[in-house]
Amino acid sequence: MSDNNSKTTAAQGPAYGDEGVGADGPGCAVGLKAADYKSGKRPVWCAGCGDYGVLNSIFNALAELQVDPDNLAVISGIGCSSRLPGYIKTYGFHGAHGRAVPVACGVKVANPALTVLTVGGDGDGFSIGGGHVSHACRRNIDITYIVMDNEIYGLTKGQISPTSPVGARAKSNPYGTVESPVNPMLLVLAYGGTFVARGYASQPKQLVQLLADGMRHKGLSFIHVLSPCVTFNKAAGYDFFKERVQDMPADHKTDDLMGAMRLAADESRFYTGLFYKSDRPEYTEGLRRSGRKLEAPPPVDIEAMIHQFS
Amino acid sequence: MARELLKGNEAVVKGAILAGCRAYYGYPITPASEIAEAAARWMPKVGGVFLQAESEIGAINMVYGAAASGVRVMTASSSPGISLKQEGLSYCAGAELPLVLVDVMRGGPGLGNIAPEQADYFQVVKGGGHGSYRLIVVAPNSVQEMCDLTMLAFELADTYRNPACVLTDGYIGQMMEPCSFPTPVTVLPNKPWAVGPGAERRDNLVSSIFLESDALEGHIHHMFRKYAECEKREVRYEEYKLDDAEHVVIGYGIVSRLLKSAVDMARAQGVKVGLLRPITLWPFPTERIRALAEKVENFLVAELSMGQMVEDVRLAVDGRRPVSFHGRVGGNVPTPDDLVQEILKLQGVTHG
C-alpha cells in the first residue's frame, strides 16, 4: 500500500505491550459528544428502521468511552445494516458480503491498538458469513461484533434470512419457509464468545450500556440487536418485539454458561442484557505470550537470512 | 403459441421448466433475485424444488450434487455471486457435470453497483476458476431469448456434459417484453454416468481428481476433444446488413440492440456498416470474424466494459484489420448517437 501514513505506523509501533489505548484506555480526545461521531452522511435506511436506534446507541457508547476516532475502525459486510460505517466519523470499511468478521480480525491482529467495531445483519453474519463467526469466537479476538437482526434480507428487497421463523413468507418463499431458524445467541455461546449480550433497537439506554461494556471487554464481544425491518418484514415489527422482549432474570450469573444457554434457547421471548462473560485470554495477547515477541523483535540480518541457502 | 409479458429474469425460469429443469438452488442478489423468486413460485407447481442456499458457494455445491445425480439443475446470480461460484464451476467442469448457470451482470469490481455491465466476460467466457476447462456461454439480447437460450443451454450442457452459462445483464434481466413459449422438452437424456438410481450405477463415482500426471493429462485431452466438437458444431451468431458492409460492428446482449439502431442510422448517412452479434460467446464466432476480416475495412466492438470480448475479436482478426473499441461502464450505456459517432470514425481508418 502506498498510503503508509502515520496512523499505520503508530498502530504498528508502540501498540504491542501498550494496553492503555483505545476503548480500554483514557482515550486521546477529551469531551467528545455523541454528535461528534456523526459523519454527516444521511442514512439510506427506511423511516422507522431499527438500525437508526442502533446507530444512535453506537454514537452514545463511543461518547461514553471517549473513544478517539483516530483509534477506531468500523467494519461491515453487505446488507442494509452494513451501510453503517459510512455514518460514523472514523475509519470505515465496507467489505464483501459475509466477510466482515475476518476483515475485522485482520485489522485487529495487525493493529491491536485500534478499537474495532464490526457490524452487519443476520444474513451477513449467520448465512453467508456463518463459517467465520465460530473461528473469531474461538480465537477470542478483541473485536465488538454487532449483529442487527431483522429476520429478513432487506437490501435485496425481501427474502427469508437464517433467522426467519418456520412458515415465514417472503418473495423467495411464497408458500412459507419450512426451514428452522438459527439461534445466533446459542451459536455464539457455543462457539466460545467471551462477552455475549442481546439488546433491542428501541431500548437505547440498555443498548448503549451493552455496547460500551462490549467495547471495554478484552476479547470477542457479540451483541445481538433486535432491529425491526418495517418495510419487508411486517410480521416481526415493533409490536412483535415489544410483546416478547424481556430483561434478563435478576438472579442470572454472567459466568454461568449453561444458564446463559438456557435463556438463549427460550423461544417464547427475547431476553435482553448480558448473557455471558468470561476472561479467557484474548488472541493478540496470546500471540505475544506464545513467544512471538513482536514488540521488540531481535535484530535480524535480513541479507544473511535471505542468502543462507544460496 | 402462448404469449406473455414478463421480465427477462422470469423468462429464464419458464425456459428452464420447459427444458425439464426441476431443481433450483440460489441466493438473493440484485439484479438477479427475480430468477430465484420466480423459481420459488413456479418450481413447486411442476413438482420441482427451490432452495434458498446459505450462500452462493452453498448454492453451486448443491447444484454440483444435483447435477451428479443426473437431474437438470440450475442456479443464477449476479457478478459478485458468480465470483463466489467459480471454485464450484471448476469442479463441475472437471467432473464433467451438466448444469446451467445464469449470470445477470452488474457493475464491478468489488461491490460496484447494481446497474448493468458486461464486465464478467473474462470470468465467465475465459474461465474464472482454476484449471483447463471451458464454460459453454450463450448471450441473449431479448426476453424471448432469455427463455430460448436457457433451453438451449440445458441441451448443450447435457450434450457435452459440461456447465453452460446464460450470460446476460441487468437490462435484459429486468426489462419486460412479450415472450412466446416453445414446446416443453418431454424426453430427457439418459445419464448412465450419474450417481444413481439403480443397481447398475452403484459403482459410479463422480470425481475430478486424477493424481497421476498421465491420467490428468488424458482427462484434460478428453475434455478438449469434446470442446473441439462443440466449437465445430455450436457456434451461433446473428448477422445484420453485412452483405455489402465495409465496416463491421460487434456487440452482444443489450449492446447489440443499440448497435442495430446505430447501423440503421449510419446507413441513412450512407455508411456501409453491418452488425455481427455473437449468440454463443464460447464457442466464439472466430471463423466468421476471420472471414469478414478478409473483405471489410475495419471493426468496432462495443461493450459495457473496459474491453473484454474485444480481445477475442482481435485474436480472430489477427492483425489483418484495425479493431477499435467503445466501452461504457458503471451502469452507463452508449446511446445510438454515440455509436453512430464511433461508426463515422471508422471511415478512413486503415492500417498504419
Side-chain angles (χ1 to χ4, degrees):
Chain A
M1 295 291 284
S2 57
D3 186 22
N4 187 17
N5 58 27
S6 58
K7 287 175 209 78
T8 316
T9 314
Q12 288 172 344
Y16 293 91
D18 177 6
E19 286 164 19
V21 186
D24 299 298
C28 303
V30 177
L32 287 168
K33 297 186 179 62
D36 295 330
Y37 292 97
K38 290 186 179 179
S39 74
K41 285 198 194 78
R42 198 186 153 95
V44 295
W45 300 321
C46 307
C49 176
D51 295 353
Y52 284 104
V54 183
L55 178 61
N56 276 327
S57 295
I58 291 174
F59 290 146
N60 282 300
L62 292 170
E64 184 180 320
L65 296 175
Q66 288 292 296
V67 176
D68 178 1
D70 276 2
N71 280 315
L72 172 64
V74 186
I75 318 292
S76 72
I78 304 297
C80 289
S81 54
S82 288
R83 301 295 290 268
L84 192 140
Y87 311 136
I88 302 185
K89 200 165 141 187
T90 184
Y91 299 110
F93 191 112
H94 190 194
H97 189 33
R99 317 302 170 197
V101 168
V103 168
C105 291
V107 169
K108 182 68 188 181
V109 171
N111 306 274
L114 294 180
T115 296
V116 179
L117 291 187
T118 314
V119 298
D122 40 301
D124 199 80
F126 290 96
S127 194
I128 187 165
H132 298 301
V133 180
S134 59
H135 300 285
C137 289
R138 73 180 177 85
R139 295 187 179 112
N140 198 28
I141 296 177
D142 186 18
I143 62 173
T144 300
Y145 183 29
I146 303 160
V147 168
M148 287 159 258
D149 188 349
N150 57 11
E151 303 185 0
I152 197 80
Y153 283 83
L155 193 67
T156 48
K157 301 194 273 305
Q159 295 84 18
I160 61 147
S161 90
T163 54
S164 301
V166 175
R169 284 168 189 268
K171 284 180 193 159
S172 62
N173 289 78
Y175 313 115
T177 178
V178 296
E179 295 181 8
S180 293
V182 300
N183 181 325
M185 294 294 284
L186 265 183
L187 286 178
V188 174
L189 287 166
Y191 290 156
T194 52
F195 180 102
V196 186
R198 181 190 278 143
Y200 175 34
S202 62
Q203 288 182 355
K205 197 174 164 196
Q206 180 193 44
L207 183 54
V208 170
Q209 203 53 52
L210 292 172
L211 292 167
D213 290 347
M215 283 189 262
R216 269 192 207 102
H217 174 72
K218 199 88 190 156
L220 188 129
S221 310
F222 175 71
I223 298 151
H224 183 224
V225 188
L226 309 168
S227 183
C229 172
V230 294
T231 304
F232 295 108
N233 195 4
K234 303 209 188 296
Y238 289 96
D239 291 342
F240 172 87
F241 286 114
K242 195 177 167 189
E243 284 169 16
R244 289 165 179 79
V245 164
Q246 192 174 318
D247 280 345
M248 295 289 283
D251 61 349
H252 173 63
K253 303 260 189 308
T254 57
D255 62 351
D256 176 7
L257 180 61
M258 296 315 291
M261 287 185 144
R262 267 192 298 279
L263 293 169
D266 187 340
E267 291 180 356
S268 66
R269 69 203 82 196
F270 293 104
Y271 285 109
T272 58
L274 179 60
F275 280 58
Y276 180 70
K277 188 174 186 312
S278 96
D279 295 325
R280 191 157 60 82
E282 194 271 333
Y283 185 82
T284 50
E285 288 179 353
L287 271 187
R288 220 159 53 240
R289 271 199 301 276
S290 73
R292 302 181 195 186
K293 301 283 184 191
L294 294 176
E295 66 221 89
V300 173
D301 184 344
I302 300 276
E303 284 283 303
M305 196 190 81
I306 297 293
H307 294 294
Q308 65 179 316
F309 299 117
S310 60
Chain B
M1 199 183 273
R3 263 164 80 82
E4 192 184 325
L5 183 69
L6 79 175
K7 277 191 175 190
N9 281 345
E10 296 169 323
V12 161
V13 180
K14 295 239 166 168
I17 288 172
L18 291 171
C21 173
R22 292 294 181 270
Y24 184 102
Y25 306 94
Y27 189 77
I29 186 165
T30 310
S33 294
E34 293 86 358
I35 302 180
E37 290 163 4
R41 278 201 305 282
W42 296 330
M43 279 294 174
K45 289 185 188 294
V46 294
V49 292
F50 165 84
L51 195 156
Q52 181 183 320
E54 63 274 18
S55 69
E56 287 88 350
I57 297 173
I60 190 66
N61 283 286
M62 290 174 188
V63 167
Y64 188 9
S69 73
V71 303
R72 283 196 163 173
V73 57
M74 71 175 295
T75 185
S77 191
S78 178
S79 309
I82 302 298
S83 300
L84 284 168
K85 290 180 190 293
Q86 291 291 359
E87 178 198 52
L89 286 169
S90 167
Y91 277 76
C92 289
E96 298 192 82
L97 294 176
L99 62 97
V100 170
L101 165 78
V102 182
D103 179 4
V104 186
M105 291 182 280
R106 65 182 236 184
L111 192 58
N113 64 23
I114 58 172
E117 264 196 11
Q118 293 181 320
D120 286 6
Y121 186 94
F122 282 161
Q123 77 152 332
V124 168
V125 180
K126 311 304 278 187
H130 59 285
S132 296
Y133 73 96
R134 289 289 193 183
L135 291 188
I136 298 165
V137 186
V138 295
N141 80 345
S142 65
V143 172
Q144 182 66 56
E145 283 195 352
M146 288 288 262
C147 174
D148 297 349
L149 294 185
T150 299
M151 294 183 75
L152 175 66
F154 277 101
E155 289 304 318
L156 295 177
D158 273 339
T159 303
Y160 297 95
R161 271 186 69 182
N162 197 74
C165 179
V166 179
L167 185 65
T168 184
D169 61 71
Y171 285 109
I172 305 289
Q174 296 292 326
M175 69 164 63
M176 294 185 84
E177 286 180 330
C179 179
S180 304
F181 298 115
T183 317
V185 174
T186 50
V187 181
L188 295 175
N190 185 33
K191 300 181 179 178
W193 48 265
V195 286
E200 73 276 10
R201 297 179 182 181
R202 216 163 271 160
D203 291 336
N204 284 0
L205 172 71
V206 168
S207 164
S208 63
I209 186 170
F210 296 87
L211 285 176
E212 296 292 330
S213 309
D214 289 345
L216 181 55
E217 189 174 52
H219 176 62
I220 292 168
H221 282 173
H222 156 72
M223 287 169 62
F224 275 72
R225 281 191 292 276
K226 287 193 314 189
Y227 294 151
E229 279 300 302
C230 188
E231 285 182 296
K232 219 185 288 172
R233 293 185 194 163
E234 309 296 351
V235 175
R236 288 165 172 79
Y237 52 85
E238 179 194 352
E239 296 188 357
Y240 183 66
K241 301 190 176 173
L242 275 181
D243 288 347
D244 62 341
E246 292 165 358
H247 316 286
V248 179
V249 293
I250 303 180
Y252 69 97
I254 188 68
V255 172
S256 67
R257 294 171 68 144
L258 297 160
L259 284 171
K260 199 175 250 185
S261 302
V263 163
D264 288 339
M265 289 159 71
R267 282 206 169 246
Q269 297 182 41
V271 184
K272 287 186 175 174
V273 58
L275 165 72
L276 180 83
R277 168 173 80 101
I279 295 172
T280 52
L281 295 176
W282 193 86
F284 194 68
T286 305
E287 293 307 322
R288 182 64 188 126
I289 292 169
R290 193 161 289 160
L292 284 168
E294 298 296 335
K295 61 174 201 164
V296 304
E297 288 176 20
N298 46 30
F299 295 82
L300 166 69
V301 176
E303 296 176 63
L304 304 184
S305 79
M306 294 303 286
Q308 299 194 359
M309 182 183 72
V310 65
E311 293 191 2
D312 279 338
V313 173
R314 288 191 172 125
L315 283 170
V317 171
D318 202 16
R320 291 180 184 84
R321 294 286 181 269
V323 178
S324 57
F325 176 74
H326 184 70
R328 293 297 305 272
V329 289
N332 294 311
V333 274
T335 64
D337 285 327
D338 295 337
L339 294 167
V340 169
Q341 291 308 310
E342 295 300 316
I343 290 168
L344 293 176
K345 287 183 202 164
L346 295 175
Q347 292 176 300
V349 176
T350 51
H351 273 299

